[in-house]
Amino acid sequence: MGIYANQVGYPSAAKKVAVSTKACKFQIVSADTGEVAWQGESVNAKYDSAAGEDAFAIDFTSLTKPGTYYVQADNGEKSHSFVIADKPYVQLHKDMLKALYYQRCGCALEEEYAGIYTHEACHTAPAILYADFEAKTENPNTFDMTGGWHDAGDFGRYSTPAAVAVGHLLYAYELFPKSFQDTLLIPESGNDMPDVLNECMYELEWLMKMQAEDGGVYHKLTAYRHAPFVMPQEDLDQFLIYPVSSMAVADFAAVMALASRVYKAFRPEFAKKALEAAKKSWKWLCENPYIGFRNPEGSGTGEYGDYSDEDERFWAACEMLCADNENSEEYIKAIKEHGDKVRKLDFGWTDVSALGSLCLMTDGEKLCPKELLEEVSHTVFTEAERLLGIQANMGYGAAMEPNDYCWGSNMVVCNRGMLLALCAIKADDDKTAAYKEGVLSQLHYLLGRNALDYSYVTGHGEHAFKNPHNRPTACDGIDEPMPGWVSGGPNKVPCDEAAVELIEPGTPPMKCYVDHVGSYSTNEITIYWNSPAIFMTAFLNY
Ligand code: 9MR
Ligand code: ZN
């Protein structure tokens, strides 16, 4: 039997449910005093098809007194400890945001900000165009492409996931500014901008370098193959600028348009530059068809391939409508045209269309024709109801069905949390609480209420994962990883050597995970797995 709780904690005023795999009588024990604070009996045996087992609810909602507790069953078995607090996710939120700072490329991470996780400046050499590399051109043109965040456990920098991650963060800031007041202790801290905007600007300035003269945006900047496990500054491979994709152009236009609005109050010059960059890429989009991206034969870094750019164009059109009041008719036409072909429900790098929905339902509310807005809202709310339905049916309470456990399944968990959060702020008062509980349920899964008893955020929870597939973590000689990283999580088709060896065939999807540094298909970290988690905590801390 196992008892699984959110190892970080539960807000005093919310529902509090842990899970056990057997029926039991239980006590909630104070970790400080050993006193029994609550007792009850498990209820609601439910089969969880993703975990392949029954789960029983251990409900202690009525216990609201702040403190540190654990669950103890009548057979003596215990859960990890957790807190009950007014705002249990403040440090978690800060650490997940600060984690992005550790991804900064092209600068040294100084002790003052990075603590023990310092390193010298990495990837400072100029880059060359992939075409010149392939043609072995002598003395090719070189470009300064330094800056930005490493995408993940590798050192590549990719335009589409970069735009999506910054998108999540800027929307989170726009909607929940109060959740971003604390300093992150990064080099810019203490200037006149919230640190989330400082950190995002580091990525946006790099992204601007990815835009070509004609408005096209290069798909990615990576070496020909992933570096071996070395510290970033030891990776001296030639960085290559791969060709333009229309997904990169559209995502770029969208995020620059968004930045032009968000930074206006703090950095008017930067905001203006962002709007001009967005317009230039929008023009490119109007003049060019879909241009996909496939890795050239032999080249082995991330592909981020995508068979459709309709969703990226939809997001771009929504954002342009909000940022540029001069061509509204044109943008509305584009929103309709592309909107008809997309789901409007996903926040990931493959399908970004929900970023467009979010934009229309918040900033675009007054600019978007009423009928269109109603259609988008209806689609989003219908999905939210579907997700609440899945949560109610699954023993572990996550809106995750067996097929949802793909590479980076924790992104699905968090993206669905984002959608529920959007509905919570847009719903009539009587439904707000249910959607908020829905967001919490996603977070409970992420932080330990799952069949493997893992908190999938480093440094948060007694049984948090510790061995992310992340080059600096693997090579820095420091035992503990940086706190605040979200793992990719269970993947029903594990495909790296470590995972294939350690996960038995036939293992239920929710259990297809290994906390192994080699496991890139279940245990990597990425900027765009942290960003939707940050959106959720920004909402919950608000
Ligand atoms: O997150 C990506 C996932 O959805 C894909 O299934 C996977 C395989 O193509 O690639 C993931 O992205 C990786 C990227 O290609 C390179 N940097 C690390 C990313 C996370 O594993
Ligand atoms: Zn670097």
Side-chain angles (χ1 to χ4, degrees):
M1 169 170 143
I3 306 178
Y4 310 128
N6 176 336
Q7 295 162 30
V8 174
Y10 299 80
S12 309
K15 234 190 204 165
K16 300 172 202 76
V17 178
V19 152
S20 83
T21 51
K22 292 251 157 59
C24 63
K25 290 196 170 120
F26 70 86
Q27 300 178 325
I28 307 292
V29 184
S30 160
D32 304 320
T33 64
E35 276 166 37
V36 175
W38 186 259
Q39 46 196 343
E41 209 167 315
S42 67
V43 287
N44 282 346
K46 256 185 253 164
Y47 183 70
D48 193 305
S49 52
E53 65 198 12
D54 283 334
F56 297 76
I58 295 200
D59 193 328
F60 49 101
T61 303
S62 308
L63 176 60
T64 56
K65 192 174 162 208
T68 306
Y69 303 92
Y70 56 86
V71 185
Q72 181 165 325
D74 46 3
N75 70 355
E77 211 154 325
K78 294 177 187 170
S79 74
H80 294 294
S81 71
F82 51 83
V83 304
I84 292 180
D86 185 28
K87 290 201 168 177
Y89 312 125
V90 172
Q91 191 60 39
L92 170 72
H93 174 74
K94 265 182 25 182
D95 284 352
M96 293 193 301
L97 194 51
K98 174 73 180 260
L100 298 170
Y101 163 76
Y102 295 111
Q103 296 299 91
R104 285 195 191 191
C105 184
C107 67
L109 300 191
E110 310 278 1
E111 195 185 332
E112 198 182 341
Y113 314 109
I116 51 175
Y117 302 107
T118 56
H119 69 71
E120 291 148 38
C122 56
H123 307 110
T124 50
I128 61 171
L129 292 172
Y130 176 76
D132 282 327
F133 171 81
E134 197 188 277
K136 301 198 171 67
T137 309
E138 263 180 62
N139 303 316
N141 287 332
T142 60
F143 302 84
D144 165 28
M145 302 299 280
T146 53
W149 300 320
H150 299 143
D151 176 58
D154 63 317
F155 302 135
R157 279 154 288 153
Y158 308 79
S159 299
T160 53
V164 168
V166 173
H168 293 155
L169 296 171
L170 295 186
Y171 286 127
Y173 168 72
E174 266 200 305
L175 295 170
F176 319 113
K178 266 199 327 226
S179 301
F180 292 95
Q181 281 172 346
D182 289 351
T183 175
L184 292 181
L185 291 177
I186 56 176
E188 301 79 6
S189 294
N191 66 5
D192 57 332
M193 268 201 312
D195 277 345
V196 62
L197 299 191
N198 283 319
E199 198 50 59
C200 285
M201 197 152 154
Y202 196 81
E203 182 76 334
L204 285 163
E205 282 180 327
W206 164 75
L207 209 43
M208 282 176 174
K209 296 184 182 176
M210 293 295 276
Q211 190 184 37
E213 271 305 302
D214 68 347
V217 175
Y218 301 112
H219 191 73
K220 67 172 179 175
L221 173 72
T222 74
Y224 189 61
R225 295 187 157 282
H226 285 311
F229 268 34
V230 293
M231 284 300 279
Q233 70 276 18
E234 287 159 13
D235 172 29
L236 301 176
D237 256 7
Q238 174 67 59
F239 265 56
L240 308 171
I241 306 165
Y242 284 77
V244 167
S245 76
S246 54
M247 279 74 67
V249 184
D251 282 349
F252 176 94
V255 80
M256 288 300 162
L258 171 58
S260 78
R261 298 188 289 110
V262 176
Y263 285 87
K264 206 179 245 161
F266 298 100
R267 294 285 182 277
E269 279 308 307
F270 178 70
K272 216 171 121 204
K273 201 172 141 198
L275 183 58
E276 270 152 29
K279 282 183 177 168
K280 203 163 154 186
S281 285
W282 177 260
K283 185 162 177 286
W284 186 100
L285 286 174
C286 296
E287 291 165 358
N288 288 276
Y290 164 84
I291 298 181
F293 180 84
R294 291 287 146 203
N295 268 336
E297 186 77 36
S299 156
T301 54
E303 185 165 74
Y304 292 114
D306 190 342
Y307 289 105
S308 163
D309 66 6
E310 294 292 341
D311 51 304
E312 286 83 3
R313 287 175 188 261
F314 174 68
W315 181 28
C318 297
E319 265 308 329
M320 290 305 290
L321 175 69
C322 295
D324 173 21
N325 47 28
E326 274 168 24
N327 299 298
S328 306
E329 289 310 310
E330 176 187 340
Y331 302 133
I332 289 171
K333 197 168 152 249
I335 294 172
K336 286 186 183 151
E337 180 195 331
H338 303 297
D340 279 347
K341 300 176 196 146
V342 298
R343 270 164 48 85
K344 308 187 187 76
L345 298 175
D346 287 307
F347 293 99
W349 62 265
T350 354
D351 181 352
V352 301
S353 56
L355 289 167
S357 312
L358 183 152
C359 167
L360 294 181
M361 288 170 69
T362 57
D363 295 305
E365 228 174 350
K366 299 216 163 59
L367 300 163
C368 177
K370 201 161 163 267
E371 240 170 69
L372 190 61
L373 181 63
E374 273 168 11
E375 191 250 313
V376 171
S377 274
H378 178 75
T379 307
V380 169
F381 275 100
T382 306
E383 171 71 356
E385 288 304 317
R386 187 184 78 90
L387 297 178
L388 293 185
I390 300 174
Q391 288 184 342
N393 274 326
M394 298 299 260
Y396 283 90
M400 291 291 286
E401 292 177 310
N403 276 334
D404 296 323
Y405 288 84
C406 55
W407 188 323
S409 62
N410 282 337
M411 181 184 83
V412 183
V413 172
C414 296
N415 286 358
R416 291 179 173 176
M418 275 182 78
L419 188 133
L420 291 163
L422 173 62
C423 288
I425 57 174
K426 286 282 137 197
D428 297 336
D429 286 353
D430 59 327
K431 280 294 302 196
T432 300
Y435 293 127
K436 186 170 178 183
E437 285 298 344
V439 180
L440 280 164
S441 261
Q442 297 301 91
L443 194 69
H444 295 333
Y445 166 88
L446 188 74
L447 297 174
R449 197 179 71 188
N450 56 60
L452 289 181
D453 198 21
Y454 268 116
S455 163
Y456 289 115
V457 183
T458 51
H460 290 268
E462 278 177 3
H463 189 230
F465 87 107
K466 278 198 168 150
N467 304 293
H469 179 86
N470 183 24
R471 282 167 176 69
T473 307
C475 303
D476 62 10
I478 302 167
D479 217 26
E480 287 293 318
M482 301 130 196
W485 278 118
V486 175
S487 167
N491 177 354
K492 67 181 189 319
V493 195
C495 47
D496 59 78
E497 220 175 281
V500 168
E501 193 186 314
L502 294 165
I503 300 170
E504 297 271 327
T507 301
M510 201 196 285
K511 296 181 176 174
C512 290
Y513 166 82
V514 283
D515 182 16
H516 189 294
V517 68
S519 185
Y520 53 82
S521 69
T522 77
N523 205 32
E524 192 162 351
I525 52 105
T526 73
I527 55 174
Y528 56 93
W529 296 337
N530 265 48
S531 55
I534 294 166
F535 187 101
M536 284 202 289
T537 50
F539 162 73
L540 292 168
N541 294 344
Y542 198 52

PDB file of all heavy atoms in Angstrom, residues 500-519:
ATOM      1  N   VAL A 500      14.410   2.595 -20.984  1.00  0.00           N
ATOM      2  CA  VAL A 500      14.062   1.318 -21.597  1.00  0.00           C
ATOM      3  C   VAL A 500      14.556   0.169 -20.713  1.00  0.00           C
ATOM      4  O   VAL A 500      13.872  -0.830 -20.512  1.00  0.00           O
ATOM      5  CB  VAL A 500      14.636   1.222 -23.032  1.00  0.00           C
ATOM      6  CG1 VAL A 500      14.539  -0.199 -23.568  1.00  0.00           C
ATOM      7  CG2 VAL A 500      13.930   2.213 -23.951  1.00  0.00           C
ATOM      8  N   GLU A 501      15.736   0.352 -20.139  1.00  0.00           N
ATOM      9  CA  GLU A 501      16.277  -0.705 -19.292  1.00  0.00           C
ATOM     10  C   GLU A 501      15.515  -0.831 -17.977  1.00  0.00           C
ATOM     11  O   GLU A 501      15.289  -1.925 -17.480  1.00  0.00           O
ATOM     12  CB  GLU A 501      17.751  -0.404 -19.016  1.00  0.00           C
ATOM     13  CG  GLU A 501      18.456  -1.587 -18.417  1.00  0.00           C
ATOM     14  CD  GLU A 501      19.873  -1.243 -18.006  1.00  0.00           C
ATOM     15  OE1 GLU A 501      20.565  -0.596 -18.820  1.00  0.00           O
ATOM     16  OE2 GLU A 501      20.250  -1.614 -16.872  1.00  0.00           O
ATOM     17  N   LEU A 502      15.099   0.294 -17.424  1.00  0.00           N
ATOM     18  CA  LEU A 502      14.542   0.264 -16.065  1.00  0.00           C
ATOM     19  C   LEU A 502      13.022   0.133 -16.007  1.00  0.00           C
ATOM     20  O   LEU A 502      12.464  -0.180 -14.963  1.00  0.00           O
ATOM     21  CB  LEU A 502      14.986   1.518 -15.306  1.00  0.00           C
ATOM     22  CG  LEU A 502      16.497   1.587 -15.040  1.00  0.00           C
ATOM     23  CD1 LEU A 502      16.933   2.979 -14.626  1.00  0.00           C
ATOM     24  CD2 LEU A 502      16.890   0.557 -13.982  1.00  0.00           C
ATOM     25  N   ILE A 503      12.341   0.416 -17.107  1.00  0.00           N
ATOM     26  CA  ILE A 503      10.872   0.339 -17.069  1.00  0.00           C
ATOM     27  C   ILE A 503      10.425  -0.944 -17.769  1.00  0.00           C
ATOM     28  O   ILE A 503      10.669  -1.142 -18.950  1.00  0.00           O
ATOM     29  CB  ILE A 503      10.249   1.587 -17.743  1.00  0.00           C
ATOM     30  CG1 ILE A 503      10.702   2.858 -17.009  1.00  0.00           C
ATOM     31  CG2 ILE A 503       8.730   1.486 -17.763  1.00  0.00           C
ATOM     32  CD1 ILE A 503      10.348   4.148 -17.724  1.00  0.00           C
ATOM     33  N   GLU A 504       9.764  -1.804 -17.005  1.00  0.00           N
ATOM     34  CA  GLU A 504       9.284  -3.078 -17.552  1.00  0.00           C
ATOM     35  C   GLU A 504       8.245  -2.832 -18.641  1.00  0.00           C
ATOM     36  O   GLU A 504       7.360  -1.981 -18.450  1.00  0.00           O
ATOM     37  CB  GLU A 504       8.545  -3.859 -16.450  1.00  0.00           C
ATOM     38  CG  GLU A 504       9.367  -4.255 -15.276  1.00  0.00           C
ATOM     39  CD  GLU A 504      10.020  -5.606 -15.496  1.00  0.00           C
ATOM     40  OE1 GLU A 504       9.398  -6.445 -16.170  1.00  0.00           O
ATOM     41  OE2 GLU A 504      11.155  -5.777 -15.023  1.00  0.00           O
ATOM     42  N   PRO A 505       8.297  -3.594 -19.716  1.00  0.00           N
ATOM     43  CA  PRO A 505       7.227  -3.469 -20.712  1.00  0.00           C
ATOM     44  C   PRO A 505       5.875  -3.732 -20.039  1.00  0.00           C
ATOM     45  O   PRO A 505       5.783  -4.576 -19.139  1.00  0.00           O
ATOM     46  CB  PRO A 505       7.541  -4.570 -21.729  1.00  0.00           C
ATOM     47  CG  PRO A 505       8.986  -4.908 -21.519  1.00  0.00           C
ATOM     48  CD  PRO A 505       9.306  -4.585 -20.081  1.00  0.00           C
ATOM     49  N   GLY A 506       4.858  -3.018 -20.451  1.00  0.00           N
ATOM     50  CA  GLY A 506       3.539  -3.215 -19.871  1.00  0.00           C
ATOM     51  C   GLY A 506       3.277  -2.372 -18.628  1.00  0.00           C
ATOM     52  O   GLY A 506       2.205  -2.439 -18.045  1.00  0.00           O
ATOM     53  N   THR A 507       4.244  -1.589 -18.218  1.00  0.00           N
ATOM     54  CA  THR A 507       4.047  -0.702 -17.060  1.00  0.00           C
ATOM     55  C   THR A 507       2.968   0.331 -17.384  1.00  0.00           C
ATOM     56  O   THR A 507       2.970   0.896 -18.470  1.00  0.00           O
ATOM     57  CB  THR A 507       5.383   0.020 -16.731  1.00  0.00           C
ATOM     58  OG1 THR A 507       6.368  -0.968 -16.445  1.00  0.00           O
ATOM     59  CG2 THR A 507       5.236   0.957 -15.538  1.00  0.00           C
ATOM     60  N   PRO A 508       2.025   0.554 -16.452  1.00  0.00           N
ATOM     61  CA  PRO A 508       0.988   1.557 -16.723  1.00  0.00           C
ATOM     62  C   PRO A 508       1.598   2.940 -16.975  1.00  0.00           C
ATOM     63  O   PRO A 508       2.624   3.283 -16.375  1.00  0.00           O
ATOM     64  CB  PRO A 508       0.155   1.574 -15.437  1.00  0.00           C
ATOM     65  CG  PRO A 508       0.492   0.328 -14.717  1.00  0.00           C
ATOM     66  CD  PRO A 508       1.869  -0.075 -15.134  1.00  0.00           C
ATOM     67  N   PRO A 509       0.974   3.709 -17.866  1.00  0.00           N
ATOM     68  CA  PRO A 509       1.555   4.996 -18.288  1.00  0.00           C
ATOM     69  C   PRO A 509       2.033   5.891 -17.149  1.00  0.00           C
ATOM     70  O   PRO A 509       3.118   6.461 -17.214  1.00  0.00           O
ATOM     71  CB  PRO A 509       0.394   5.669 -19.045  1.00  0.00           C
ATOM     72  CG  PRO A 509      -0.437   4.544 -19.540  1.00  0.00           C
ATOM     73  CD  PRO A 509      -0.292   3.423 -18.562  1.00  0.00           C
ATOM     74  N   MET A 510       1.251   6.006 -16.088  1.00  0.00           N
ATOM     75  CA  MET A 510       1.621   6.943 -15.017  1.00  0.00           C
ATOM     76  C   MET A 510       2.900   6.508 -14.294  1.00  0.00           C
ATOM     77  O   MET A 510       3.513   7.284 -13.569  1.00  0.00           O
ATOM     78  CB  MET A 510       0.483   7.081 -13.997  1.00  0.00           C
ATOM     79  CG  MET A 510       0.557   8.360 -13.175  1.00  0.00           C
ATOM     80  SD  MET A 510      -0.469   8.353 -11.696  1.00  0.00           S
ATOM     81  CE  MET A 510      -2.104   8.564 -12.338  1.00  0.00           C
ATOM     82  N   LYS A 511       3.286   5.244 -14.508  1.00  0.00           N
ATOM     83  CA  LYS A 511       4.473   4.736 -13.817  1.00  0.00           C
ATOM     84  C   LYS A 511       5.697   4.612 -14.728  1.00  0.00           C
ATOM     85  O   LYS A 511       6.742   4.104 -14.304  1.00  0.00           O
ATOM     86  CB  LYS A 511       4.145   3.377 -13.188  1.00  0.00           C
ATOM     87  CG  LYS A 511       3.069   3.473 -12.115  1.00  0.00           C
ATOM     88  CD  LYS A 511       2.776   2.126 -11.490  1.00  0.00           C
ATOM     89  CE  LYS A 511       1.779   2.286 -10.350  1.00  0.00           C
ATOM     90  NZ  LYS A 511       1.352   0.985  -9.796  1.00  0.00           N
ATOM     91  N   CYS A 512       5.549   5.081 -15.964  1.00  0.00           N
ATOM     92  CA  CYS A 512       6.664   4.962 -16.913  1.00  0.00           C
ATOM     93  C   CYS A 512       7.623   6.132 -16.753  1.00  0.00           C
ATOM     94  O   CYS A 512       7.688   7.042 -17.584  1.00  0.00           O
ATOM     95  CB  CYS A 512       6.148   4.918 -18.350  1.00  0.00           C
ATOM     96  SG  CYS A 512       5.286   3.395 -18.718  1.00  0.00           S
ATOM     97  N   TYR A 513       8.366   6.105 -15.672  1.00  0.00           N
ATOM     98  CA  TYR A 513       9.253   7.225 -15.354  1.00  0.00           C
ATOM     99  C   TYR A 513      10.436   6.700 -14.560  1.00  0.00           C
ATOM    100  O   TYR A 513      10.277   5.796 -13.745  1.00  0.00           O
ATOM    101  CB  TYR A 513       8.472   8.249 -14.508  1.00  0.00           C
ATOM    102  CG  TYR A 513       9.355   9.276 -13.849  1.00  0.00           C
ATOM    103  CD1 TYR A 513       9.795  10.382 -14.556  1.00  0.00           C
ATOM    104  CD2 TYR A 513       9.779   9.115 -12.519  1.00  0.00           C
ATOM    105  CE1 TYR A 513      10.632  11.321 -13.957  1.00  0.00           C
ATOM    106  CE2 TYR A 513      10.609  10.047 -11.920  1.00  0.00           C
ATOM    107  CZ  TYR A 513      11.033  11.141 -12.642  1.00  0.00           C
ATOM    108  OH  TYR A 513      11.850  12.073 -12.068  1.00  0.00           O
ATOM    109  N   VAL A 514      11.613   7.269 -14.805  1.00  0.00           N
ATOM    110  CA  VAL A 514      12.758   6.972 -13.931  1.00  0.00           C
ATOM    111  C   VAL A 514      13.497   8.256 -13.593  1.00  0.00           C
ATOM    112  O   VAL A 514      13.732   9.103 -14.457  1.00  0.00           O
ATOM    113  CB  VAL A 514      13.767   5.975 -14.553  1.00  0.00           C
ATOM    114  CG1 VAL A 514      13.229   4.562 -14.478  1.00  0.00           C
ATOM    115  CG2 VAL A 514      14.131   6.337 -15.992  1.00  0.00           C
ATOM    116  N   ASP A 515      13.837   8.393 -12.334  1.00  0.00           N
ATOM    117  CA  ASP A 515      14.617   9.562 -11.907  1.00  0.00           C
ATOM    118  C   ASP A 515      16.082   9.267 -12.190  1.00  0.00           C
ATOM    119  O   ASP A 515      16.869   9.014 -11.283  1.00  0.00           O
ATOM    120  CB  ASP A 515      14.374   9.830 -10.414  1.00  0.00           C
ATOM    121  CG  ASP A 515      15.127  11.071  -9.958  1.00  0.00           C
ATOM    122  OD1 ASP A 515      15.557  11.856 -10.833  1.00  0.00           O
ATOM    123  OD2 ASP A 515      15.287  11.244  -8.733  1.00  0.00           O
ATOM    124  N   HIS A 516      16.420   9.302 -13.466  1.00  0.00           N
ATOM    125  CA  HIS A 516      17.759   8.925 -13.900  1.00  0.00           C
ATOM    126  C   HIS A 516      18.279  10.027 -14.817  1.00  0.00           C
ATOM    127  O   HIS A 516      17.580  10.471 -15.717  1.00  0.00           O
ATOM    128  CB  HIS A 516      17.674   7.587 -14.652  1.00  0.00           C
ATOM    129  CG  HIS A 516      19.002   6.987 -14.963  1.00  0.00           C
ATOM    130  ND1 HIS A 516      19.900   7.558 -15.840  1.00  0.00           N
ATOM    131  CD2 HIS A 516      19.594   5.846 -14.512  1.00  0.00           C
ATOM    132  CE1 HIS A 516      20.974   6.811 -15.911  1.00  0.00           C
ATOM    133  NE2 HIS A 516      20.829   5.769 -15.114  1.00  0.00           N
ATOM    134  N   VAL A 517      19.518  10.423 -14.576  1.00  0.00           N
ATOM    135  CA  VAL A 517      20.091  11.537 -15.333  1.00  0.00           C
ATOM    136  C   VAL A 517      20.171  11.248 -16.837  1.00  0.00           C
ATOM    137  O   VAL A 517      20.127  12.161 -17.666  1.00  0.00           O
ATOM    138  CB  VAL A 517      21.480  11.912 -14.750  1.00  0.00           C
ATOM    139  CG1 VAL A 517      22.485  10.795 -14.999  1.00  0.00           C
ATOM    140  CG2 VAL A 517      21.979  13.238 -15.282  1.00  0.00           C
ATOM    141  N   GLY A 518      20.207   9.984 -17.186  1.00  0.00           N
ATOM    142  CA  GLY A 518      20.283   9.639 -18.608  1.00  0.00           C
ATOM    143  C   GLY A 518      18.938   9.656 -19.308  1.00  0.00           C
ATOM    144  O   GLY A 518      18.863   9.585 -20.538  1.00  0.00           O
ATOM    145  N   SER A 519      17.880   9.731 -18.527  1.00  0.00           N
ATOM    146  CA  SER A 519      16.560   9.531 -19.131  1.00  0.00           C
ATOM    147  C   SER A 519      15.971  10.807 -19.725  1.00  0.00           C
ATOM    148  O   SER A 519      15.125  11.457 -19.121  1.00  0.00           O
ATOM    149  CB  SER A 519      15.584   8.932 -18.119  1.00  0.00           C
ATOM    150  OG  SER A 519      14.359   8.661 -18.783  1.00  0.00           O
TER     151      SER A 519
END
